[in-house]
Amino acid sequence: MISLIGKTPKELADEWSLSPPFRAKQLFKNLYSGIMNFDEMSDLPKTLRETLKANGTFFSAELLRERVSADGTVKRTLRFPDGAVIEAVVLTTDKGRKTACLSTQVGCAMGCRFCHTALGGLKRNLSAAEIVEEMILLRQKSGPISHIVFMGMGEPLNNLDEVVKAVEILSSPECCHFSKRKITISTCGVVPGILRMAEEKMPMKLAVSLNAADNKKRAQLMPITLKYPLEELKDALLHYQDAVGRRITFEYVLIDEFNDSIGDLTALCRFLNGFHTPLVNLIPWNPTPNLSFKSPSNNRVHRFLQAAADNGINMTLRRSRGRDIEGACGQLAGKDSEK
Ligand code: SAH
């Protein structure tokens, strides 16, 4: 069986030998209209509908498991035909936003020491079609989605071609007509990817997982620092800021007695100097099995927040969502498929 969701009209035309040329667009549009049955695609010729029914499926992925957190966050585990397992999350926030947190890779190669996804290493990249499938499956199950963040499993800037292609499909009027400005790409600091986003003036938002503003400390948490030290990362981000003119969001995972001192905050202020109205999302570390870090106490979190405010840093505390279903930041590991 050949799956259809996430394929471009050109790919559909080639795979199904479609003509005349508008036929592929017509099929493409039908796939996202909510009709989940080839028989009901009444604007397609009967012979094509029969062929699609006999040889096609909407999704390649199978929904393995769904877990709902006490706070309403939903984590879904998907398995692709080659056995690759990923997880995707829907978060509903107080402001009425419904955000899809999508994976871009099966596993991750970046090796961040505090992140559960890193423990299994990288299996492979997701294709654009598979990324679109994630989103459409979430939409089908959870209803309309208002925002997308590429903050699930993987490093989006190491799979940027496919991520960009997925964004093109999702933003096309015949698919979800999703605004690119409501899509965030989050990176651990892959400099060539940031420079490409600047070069191509990509309209998606950029978020950077900083987590420490001192090279030595950051390298202990994030090996990527050895490849792209903070000075090089900052240069690339300032260049991006000039080229694209959008505010950059920084993520700072707060770890008890590691990066939560006033000295750490001072280093952060120094790093942020030069950015226009940067926003820092403070994420108290979410516990993951087999890692020996500790979550900071409320006292230490608030001391850090207060020190940031005193220094004029715009920092917001991210309430952890989905911790009870291992669906919070850094907890996605595809382990639910084994239970
Ligand atoms: N590779 C990308 C996207 C995936 S990680 C990136 O690094 O940005 C998404 C976010 O989760 C990152 O900001 C990361 O710092 C954070 N994170 C990872 N493990 C975490 C944990 N155990 N607790 C809290 N946040 C975590």
mmCIF file of all heavy atoms in Angstrom, residues 180-224:
data_model
loop_
_atom_site.group_PDB
_atom_site.id
_atom_site.type_symbol
_atom_site.label_atom_id
_atom_site.label_comp_id
_atom_site.label_asym_id
_atom_site.label_seq_id
_atom_site.Cartn_x
_atom_site.Cartn_y
_atom_site.Cartn_z
ATOM 1 N N LYS A 180 3.103 30.290 8.492
ATOM 2 C CA LYS A 180 4.491 29.938 8.836
ATOM 3 C C LYS A 180 4.959 30.691 10.080
ATOM 4 O O LYS A 180 5.873 30.259 10.771
ATOM 5 C CB LYS A 180 5.419 30.260 7.661
ATOM 6 C CG LYS A 180 5.192 29.371 6.460
ATOM 7 C CD LYS A 180 6.102 29.755 5.317
ATOM 8 C CE LYS A 180 5.729 28.979 4.073
ATOM 9 N NZ LYS A 180 6.403 29.452 2.871
ATOM 10 N N ARG A 181 4.341 31.810 10.347
ATOM 11 C CA ARG A 181 4.739 32.613 11.501
ATOM 12 C C ARG A 181 4.266 31.997 12.820
ATOM 13 O O ARG A 181 4.659 32.426 13.886
ATOM 14 C CB ARG A 181 4.229 34.043 11.349
ATOM 15 C CG ARG A 181 4.771 34.703 10.085
ATOM 16 C CD ARG A 181 4.254 36.106 9.914
ATOM 17 N NE ARG A 181 4.854 37.033 10.847
ATOM 18 C CZ ARG A 181 6.007 37.679 10.659
ATOM 19 N NH1 ARG A 181 6.688 37.475 9.550
ATOM 20 N NH2 ARG A 181 6.462 38.507 11.547
ATOM 21 N N LYS A 182 3.399 31.016 12.717
ATOM 22 C CA LYS A 182 2.943 30.326 13.934
ATOM 23 C C LYS A 182 3.661 28.986 14.114
ATOM 24 O O LYS A 182 3.205 28.108 14.833
ATOM 25 C CB LYS A 182 1.432 30.132 13.876
ATOM 26 C CG LYS A 182 0.706 31.459 13.971
ATOM 27 C CD LYS A 182 -0.775 31.275 14.042
ATOM 28 C CE LYS A 182 -1.435 32.633 14.274
ATOM 29 N NZ LYS A 182 -2.871 32.567 14.086
ATOM 30 N N ILE A 183 4.775 28.881 13.412
ATOM 31 C CA ILE A 183 5.579 27.661 13.501
ATOM 32 C C ILE A 183 6.941 28.017 14.100
ATOM 33 O O ILE A 183 7.562 28.989 13.671
ATOM 34 C CB ILE A 183 5.775 27.039 12.099
ATOM 35 C CG1 ILE A 183 4.408 26.644 11.509
ATOM 36 C CG2 ILE A 183 6.721 25.833 12.157
ATOM 37 C CD1 ILE A 183 4.461 26.068 10.109
ATOM 38 N N THR A 184 7.375 27.277 15.101
ATOM 39 C CA THR A 184 8.674 27.540 15.734
ATOM 40 C C THR A 184 9.627 26.378 15.486
ATOM 41 O O THR A 184 9.265 25.218 15.679
ATOM 42 C CB THR A 184 8.497 27.724 17.262
ATOM 43 O OG1 THR A 184 7.609 28.814 17.487
ATOM 44 C CG2 THR A 184 9.831 28.005 17.945
ATOM 45 N N ILE A 185 10.830 26.742 15.071
ATOM 46 C CA ILE A 185 11.894 25.750 14.944
ATOM 47 C C ILE A 185 12.821 25.928 16.131
ATOM 48 O O ILE A 185 13.340 27.018 16.375
ATOM 49 C CB ILE A 185 12.661 25.960 13.617
ATOM 50 C CG1 ILE A 185 11.731 25.622 12.444
ATOM 51 C CG2 ILE A 185 13.940 25.119 13.582
ATOM 52 C CD1 ILE A 185 12.393 25.681 11.082
ATOM 53 N N SER A 186 13.023 24.857 16.881
ATOM 54 C CA SER A 186 13.877 24.943 18.067
ATOM 55 C C SER A 186 15.173 24.177 17.825
ATOM 56 O O SER A 186 15.151 23.031 17.388
ATOM 57 C CB SER A 186 13.131 24.349 19.273
ATOM 58 O OG SER A 186 13.928 24.418 20.428
ATOM 59 N N THR A 187 16.292 24.834 18.106
ATOM 60 C CA THR A 187 17.591 24.185 17.846
ATOM 61 C C THR A 187 18.485 24.211 19.075
ATOM 62 O O THR A 187 18.403 25.115 19.917
ATOM 63 C CB THR A 187 18.329 24.874 16.676
ATOM 64 O OG1 THR A 187 19.583 24.216 16.469
ATOM 65 C CG2 THR A 187 18.588 26.361 16.956
ATOM 66 N N CYS A 188 19.371 23.241 19.147
ATOM 67 C CA CYS A 188 20.360 23.223 20.228
ATOM 68 C C CYS A 188 21.551 24.119 19.855
ATOM 69 O O CYS A 188 22.470 24.275 20.651
ATOM 70 C CB CYS A 188 20.817 21.798 20.500
ATOM 71 S SG CYS A 188 21.680 21.063 19.112
ATOM 72 N N GLY A 189 21.509 24.697 18.646
ATOM 73 C CA GLY A 189 22.573 25.629 18.253
ATOM 74 C C GLY A 189 23.385 25.159 17.056
ATOM 75 O O GLY A 189 24.622 25.268 17.058
ATOM 76 N N VAL A 190 22.704 24.646 16.053
ATOM 77 C CA VAL A 190 23.381 24.179 14.834
ATOM 78 C C VAL A 190 23.599 25.393 13.918
ATOM 79 O O VAL A 190 22.691 25.833 13.210
ATOM 80 C CB VAL A 190 22.548 23.080 14.136
ATOM 81 C CG1 VAL A 190 23.195 22.634 12.844
ATOM 82 C CG2 VAL A 190 22.350 21.891 15.084
ATOM 83 N N VAL A 191 24.812 25.929 13.961
ATOM 84 C CA VAL A 191 25.092 27.214 13.314
ATOM 85 C C VAL A 191 24.787 27.234 11.801
ATOM 86 O O VAL A 191 24.140 28.173 11.325
ATOM 87 C CB VAL A 191 26.546 27.668 13.633
ATOM 88 C CG1 VAL A 191 26.998 28.787 12.717
ATOM 89 C CG2 VAL A 191 26.616 28.118 15.097
ATOM 90 N N PRO A 192 25.203 26.224 11.019
ATOM 91 C CA PRO A 192 24.904 26.304 9.577
ATOM 92 C C PRO A 192 23.397 26.400 9.289
ATOM 93 O O PRO A 192 22.986 27.090 8.353
ATOM 94 C CB PRO A 192 25.477 25.003 9.011
ATOM 95 C CG PRO A 192 26.457 24.522 10.024
ATOM 96 C CD PRO A 192 25.984 25.016 11.350
ATOM 97 N N GLY A 193 22.600 25.726 10.097
ATOM 98 C CA GLY A 193 21.136 25.781 9.921
ATOM 99 C C GLY A 193 20.602 27.177 10.219
ATOM 100 O O GLY A 193 19.719 27.684 9.517
ATOM 101 N N ILE A 194 21.148 27.811 11.269
ATOM 102 C CA ILE A 194 20.719 29.170 11.630
ATOM 103 C C ILE A 194 21.085 30.126 10.490
ATOM 104 O O ILE A 194 20.283 30.982 10.089
ATOM 105 C CB ILE A 194 21.382 29.615 12.957
ATOM 106 C CG1 ILE A 194 20.878 28.736 14.104
ATOM 107 C CG2 ILE A 194 21.115 31.099 13.241
ATOM 108 C CD1 ILE A 194 21.680 28.849 15.390
ATOM 109 N N LEU A 195 22.288 29.952 9.943
ATOM 110 C CA LEU A 195 22.724 30.833 8.842
ATOM 111 C C LEU A 195 21.857 30.620 7.606
ATOM 112 O O LEU A 195 21.533 31.577 6.894
ATOM 113 C CB LEU A 195 24.208 30.585 8.520
ATOM 114 C CG LEU A 195 25.173 30.978 9.649
ATOM 115 C CD1 LEU A 195 26.611 30.625 9.284
ATOM 116 C CD2 LEU A 195 25.043 32.480 9.984
ATOM 117 N N ARG A 196 21.436 29.381 7.398
ATOM 118 C CA ARG A 196 20.548 29.138 6.250
ATOM 119 C C ARG A 196 19.175 29.793 6.471
ATOM 120 O O ARG A 196 18.595 30.361 5.539
ATOM 121 C CB ARG A 196 20.401 27.629 6.033
ATOM 122 C CG ARG A 196 19.586 27.348 4.799
ATOM 123 C CD ARG A 196 19.515 25.887 4.432
ATOM 124 N NE ARG A 196 18.289 25.668 3.693
ATOM 125 C CZ ARG A 196 17.695 24.500 3.536
ATOM 126 N NH1 ARG A 196 18.250 23.423 4.067
ATOM 127 N NH2 ARG A 196 16.585 24.389 2.850
ATOM 128 N N MET A 197 18.680 29.718 7.699
ATOM 129 C CA MET A 197 17.396 30.379 7.983
ATOM 130 C C MET A 197 17.505 31.877 7.724
ATOM 131 O O MET A 197 16.571 32.515 7.247
ATOM 132 C CB MET A 197 16.968 30.126 9.431
ATOM 133 C CG MET A 197 16.444 28.715 9.668
ATOM 134 S SD MET A 197 15.813 28.473 11.348
ATOM 135 C CE MET A 197 14.240 29.364 11.301
ATOM 136 N N ALA A 198 18.673 32.446 8.052
ATOM 137 C CA ALA A 198 18.900 33.882 7.813
ATOM 138 C C ALA A 198 18.979 34.156 6.316
ATOM 139 O O ALA A 198 18.322 35.079 5.804
ATOM 140 C CB ALA A 198 20.192 34.314 8.499
ATOM 141 N N GLU A 199 19.780 33.355 5.633
ATOM 142 C CA GLU A 199 20.011 33.526 4.194
ATOM 143 C C GLU A 199 18.699 33.508 3.427
ATOM 144 O O GLU A 199 18.449 34.347 2.563
ATOM 145 C CB GLU A 199 20.895 32.360 3.711
ATOM 146 C CG GLU A 199 21.918 32.716 2.667
ATOM 147 C CD GLU A 199 22.837 33.824 3.171
ATOM 148 O OE1 GLU A 199 23.414 33.714 4.272
ATOM 149 O OE2 GLU A 199 22.926 34.811 2.444
ATOM 150 N N GLU A 200 17.858 32.535 3.772
ATOM 151 C CA GLU A 200 16.599 32.357 3.038
ATOM 152 C C GLU A 200 15.453 33.148 3.673
ATOM 153 O O GLU A 200 14.315 33.020 3.260
ATOM 154 C CB GLU A 200 16.257 30.861 2.952
ATOM 155 C CG GLU A 200 17.324 30.095 2.186
ATOM 156 C CD GLU A 200 17.049 28.592 2.097
ATOM 157 O OE1 GLU A 200 15.892 28.159 2.250
ATOM 158 O OE2 GLU A 200 18.026 27.847 1.866
ATOM 159 N N LYS A 201 15.795 33.943 4.688
ATOM 160 C CA LYS A 201 14.789 34.750 5.393
ATOM 161 C C LYS A 201 13.525 33.942 5.709
ATOM 162 O O LYS A 201 12.400 34.338 5.385
ATOM 163 C CB LYS A 201 14.430 35.992 4.566
ATOM 164 C CG LYS A 201 15.598 36.925 4.316
ATOM 165 C CD LYS A 201 15.101 38.317 4.011
ATOM 166 C CE LYS A 201 16.155 39.306 3.579
ATOM 167 N NZ LYS A 201 17.516 39.140 4.095
ATOM 168 N N MET A 202 13.733 32.829 6.339
ATOM 169 C CA MET A 202 12.591 31.957 6.648
ATOM 170 C C MET A 202 11.680 32.637 7.659
ATOM 171 O O MET A 202 12.144 33.178 8.654
ATOM 172 C CB MET A 202 13.084 30.619 7.207
ATOM 173 C CG MET A 202 13.800 29.780 6.173
ATOM 174 S SD MET A 202 14.152 28.149 6.832
ATOM 175 C CE MET A 202 15.280 27.554 5.569
ATOM 176 N N PRO A 203 10.377 32.599 7.406
ATOM 177 C CA PRO A 203 9.443 33.303 8.297
ATOM 178 C C PRO A 203 9.111 32.569 9.588
ATOM 179 O O PRO A 203 8.444 33.123 10.453
ATOM 180 C CB PRO A 203 8.181 33.445 7.431
ATOM 181 C CG PRO A 203 8.275 32.356 6.422
ATOM 182 C CD PRO A 203 9.722 32.027 6.228
ATOM 183 N N MET A 204 9.558 31.324 9.717
ATOM 184 C CA MET A 204 9.258 30.599 10.954
ATOM 185 C C MET A 204 10.013 31.256 12.115
ATOM 186 O O MET A 204 11.026 31.903 11.920
ATOM 187 C CB MET A 204 9.711 29.131 10.846
ATOM 188 C CG MET A 204 8.885 28.302 9.885
ATOM 189 S SD MET A 204 9.410 28.549 8.196
ATOM 190 C CE MET A 204 10.618 27.268 7.979
ATOM 191 N N LYS A 205 9.482 31.041 13.338
ATOM 192 C CA LYS A 205 10.164 31.581 14.516
ATOM 193 C C LYS A 205 11.350 30.690 14.874
ATOM 194 O O LYS A 205 11.302 29.483 14.645
ATOM 195 C CB LYS A 205 9.209 31.576 15.705
ATOM 196 C CG LYS A 205 8.382 32.837 15.795
ATOM 197 C CD LYS A 205 7.430 32.723 16.874
ATOM 198 C CE LYS A 205 7.379 33.221 18.132
ATOM 199 N NZ LYS A 205 6.219 33.191 18.912
ATOM 200 N N LEU A 206 12.350 31.306 15.477
ATOM 201 C CA LEU A 206 13.524 30.541 15.883
ATOM 202 C C LEU A 206 13.632 30.523 17.408
ATOM 203 O O LEU A 206 13.536 31.567 18.064
ATOM 204 C CB LEU A 206 14.787 31.162 15.277
ATOM 205 C CG LEU A 206 16.122 30.514 15.654
ATOM 206 C CD1 LEU A 206 16.194 29.067 15.194
ATOM 207 C CD2 LEU A 206 17.293 31.297 15.052
ATOM 208 N N ALA A 207 13.800 29.344 17.964
ATOM 209 C CA ALA A 207 14.061 29.207 19.394
ATOM 210 C C ALA A 207 15.396 28.486 19.563
ATOM 211 O O ALA A 207 15.723 27.585 18.786
ATOM 212 C CB ALA A 207 12.944 28.408 20.069
ATOM 213 N N VAL A 208 16.155 28.923 20.559
ATOM 214 C CA VAL A 208 17.480 28.332 20.777
ATOM 215 C C VAL A 208 17.561 27.795 22.200
ATOM 216 O O VAL A 208 17.291 28.517 23.161
ATOM 217 C CB VAL A 208 18.586 29.386 20.557
ATOM 218 C CG1 VAL A 208 19.961 28.788 20.805
ATOM 219 C CG2 VAL A 208 18.496 29.962 19.160
ATOM 220 N N SER A 209 17.918 26.530 22.315
ATOM 221 C CA SER A 209 18.084 25.937 23.638
ATOM 222 C C SER A 209 19.476 26.301 24.137
ATOM 223 O O SER A 209 20.470 25.749 23.670
ATOM 224 C CB SER A 209 17.924 24.417 23.549
ATOM 225 O OG SER A 209 16.657 24.122 23.012
ATOM 226 N N LEU A 210 19.523 27.241 25.062
ATOM 227 C CA LEU A 210 20.816 27.764 25.505
ATOM 228 C C LEU A 210 21.323 26.976 26.717
ATOM 229 O O LEU A 210 22.386 26.385 26.679
ATOM 230 C CB LEU A 210 20.672 29.255 25.826
ATOM 231 C CG LEU A 210 21.969 30.028 25.933
ATOM 232 C CD1 LEU A 210 22.716 30.037 24.615
ATOM 233 C CD2 LEU A 210 21.707 31.457 26.392
ATOM 234 N N ASN A 211 20.547 27.028 27.769
ATOM 235 C CA ASN A 211 20.771 26.184 28.961
ATOM 236 C C ASN A 211 21.995 26.513 29.808
ATOM 237 O O ASN A 211 22.056 26.133 30.985
ATOM 238 C CB ASN A 211 20.800 24.696 28.594
ATOM 239 C CG ASN A 211 19.514 24.282 27.893
ATOM 240 O OD1 ASN A 211 18.475 24.895 28.119
ATOM 241 N ND2 ASN A 211 19.585 23.303 27.034
ATOM 242 N N ALA A 212 22.956 27.175 29.241
ATOM 243 C CA ALA A 212 24.090 27.700 30.007
ATOM 244 C C ALA A 212 24.787 28.692 29.090
ATOM 245 O O ALA A 212 24.831 28.490 27.881
ATOM 246 C CB ALA A 212 25.043 26.586 30.405
ATOM 247 N N ALA A 213 25.321 29.773 29.682
ATOM 248 C CA ALA A 213 25.927 30.815 28.855
ATOM 249 C C ALA A 213 27.440 30.876 29.043
ATOM 250 O O ALA A 213 28.077 31.881 28.779
ATOM 251 C CB ALA A 213 25.273 32.160 29.158
ATOM 252 N N ASP A 214 27.979 29.768 29.503
ATOM 253 C CA ASP A 214 29.418 29.658 29.697
ATOM 254 C C ASP A 214 29.846 28.405 28.927
ATOM 255 O O ASP A 214 29.233 27.332 29.092
ATOM 256 C CB ASP A 214 29.675 29.516 31.207
ATOM 257 C CG ASP A 214 31.072 29.018 31.506
ATOM 258 O OD1 ASP A 214 31.977 29.862 31.587
ATOM 259 O OD2 ASP A 214 31.262 27.786 31.647
ATOM 260 N N ASN A 215 30.854 28.529 28.071
ATOM 261 C CA ASN A 215 31.228 27.409 27.194
ATOM 262 C C ASN A 215 31.521 26.117 27.945
ATOM 263 O O ASN A 215 31.096 25.046 27.536
ATOM 264 C CB ASN A 215 32.444 27.783 26.346
ATOM 265 C CG ASN A 215 32.036 28.530 25.079
ATOM 266 O OD1 ASN A 215 31.041 28.185 24.437
ATOM 267 N ND2 ASN A 215 32.800 29.559 24.727
ATOM 268 N N LYS A 216 32.264 26.259 29.059
ATOM 269 C CA LYS A 216 32.675 25.055 29.773
ATOM 270 C C LYS A 216 31.450 24.315 30.333
ATOM 271 O O LYS A 216 31.299 23.108 30.183
ATOM 272 C CB LYS A 216 33.626 25.443 30.906
ATOM 273 C CG LYS A 216 34.735 24.431 31.079
ATOM 274 C CD LYS A 216 35.839 24.956 31.957
ATOM 275 C CE LYS A 216 36.232 23.869 32.940
ATOM 276 N NZ LYS A 216 36.811 24.399 34.155
ATOM 277 N N LYS A 217 30.590 25.101 30.952
ATOM 278 C CA LYS A 217 29.394 24.518 31.548
ATOM 279 C C LYS A 217 28.452 23.984 30.482
ATOM 280 O O LYS A 217 27.898 22.899 30.592
ATOM 281 C CB LYS A 217 28.695 25.608 32.371
ATOM 282 C CG LYS A 217 27.882 25.062 33.495
ATOM 283 C CD LYS A 217 27.441 26.164 34.436
ATOM 284 C CE LYS A 217 28.180 26.081 35.752
ATOM 285 N NZ LYS A 217 27.511 26.753 36.854
ATOM 286 N N ARG A 218 28.313 24.765 29.414
ATOM 287 C CA ARG A 218 27.384 24.341 28.358
ATOM 288 C C ARG A 218 27.884 23.067 27.674
ATOM 289 O O ARG A 218 27.096 22.182 27.332
ATOM 290 C CB ARG A 218 27.194 25.473 27.334
ATOM 291 C CG ARG A 218 26.036 25.190 26.366
ATOM 292 C CD ARG A 218 25.698 26.420 25.531
ATOM 293 N NE ARG A 218 24.465 26.256 24.801
ATOM 294 C CZ ARG A 218 24.387 25.858 23.529
ATOM 295 N NH1 ARG A 218 25.495 25.611 22.850
ATOM 296 N NH2 ARG A 218 23.221 25.713 22.934
ATOM 297 N N ALA A 219 29.198 22.971 27.515
ATOM 298 C CA ALA A 219 29.749 21.773 26.866
ATOM 299 C C ALA A 219 29.491 20.524 27.713
ATOM 300 O O ALA A 219 29.337 19.430 27.175
ATOM 301 C CB ALA A 219 31.244 21.954 26.619
ATOM 302 N N GLN A 220 29.436 20.712 29.034
ATOM 303 C CA GLN A 220 29.127 19.556 29.894
ATOM 304 C C GLN A 220 27.701 19.066 29.688
ATOM 305 O O GLN A 220 27.402 17.897 29.864
ATOM 306 C CB GLN A 220 29.300 19.933 31.359
ATOM 307 C CG GLN A 220 30.754 19.988 31.782
ATOM 308 C CD GLN A 220 30.871 20.452 33.230
ATOM 309 O OE1 GLN A 220 30.129 20.016 34.103
ATOM 310 N NE2 GLN A 220 31.798 21.344 33.491
ATOM 311 N N LEU A 221 26.828 20.008 29.333
ATOM 312 C CA LEU A 221 25.420 19.643 29.095
ATOM 313 C C LEU A 221 25.173 19.280 27.646
ATOM 314 O O LEU A 221 24.393 18.383 27.340
ATOM 315 C CB LEU A 221 24.497 20.827 29.426
ATOM 316 C CG LEU A 221 24.290 21.254 30.853
ATOM 317 C CD1 LEU A 221 23.340 22.452 30.886
ATOM 318 C CD2 LEU A 221 23.706 20.109 31.678
ATOM 319 N N MET A 222 25.812 20.049 26.739
ATOM 320 C CA MET A 222 25.489 19.959 25.323
ATOM 321 C C MET A 222 26.772 19.881 24.494
ATOM 322 O O MET A 222 27.437 20.901 24.253
ATOM 323 C CB MET A 222 24.675 21.197 24.901
ATOM 324 C CG MET A 222 23.426 21.413 25.752
ATOM 325 S SD MET A 222 22.592 22.962 25.384
ATOM 326 C CE MET A 222 21.770 22.564 23.844
ATOM 327 N N PRO A 223 27.117 18.673 24.033
ATOM 328 C CA PRO A 223 28.372 18.483 23.277
ATOM 329 C C PRO A 223 28.458 19.363 22.025
ATOM 330 O O PRO A 223 29.567 19.670 21.580
ATOM 331 C CB PRO A 223 28.321 17.004 22.890
ATOM 332 C CG PRO A 223 27.345 16.357 23.806
ATOM 333 C CD PRO A 223 26.397 17.406 24.269
ATOM 334 N N ILE A 224 27.327 19.820 21.491
ATOM 335 C CA ILE A 224 27.327 20.686 20.301
ATOM 336 C C ILE A 224 28.174 21.943 20.547
ATOM 337 O O ILE A 224 28.716 22.535 19.601
ATOM 338 C CB ILE A 224 25.871 21.083 19.914
ATOM 339 C CG1 ILE A 224 25.783 21.903 18.614
ATOM 340 C CG2 ILE A 224 25.181 21.888 21.000
ATOM 341 C CD1 ILE A 224 25.754 21.123 17.381
#
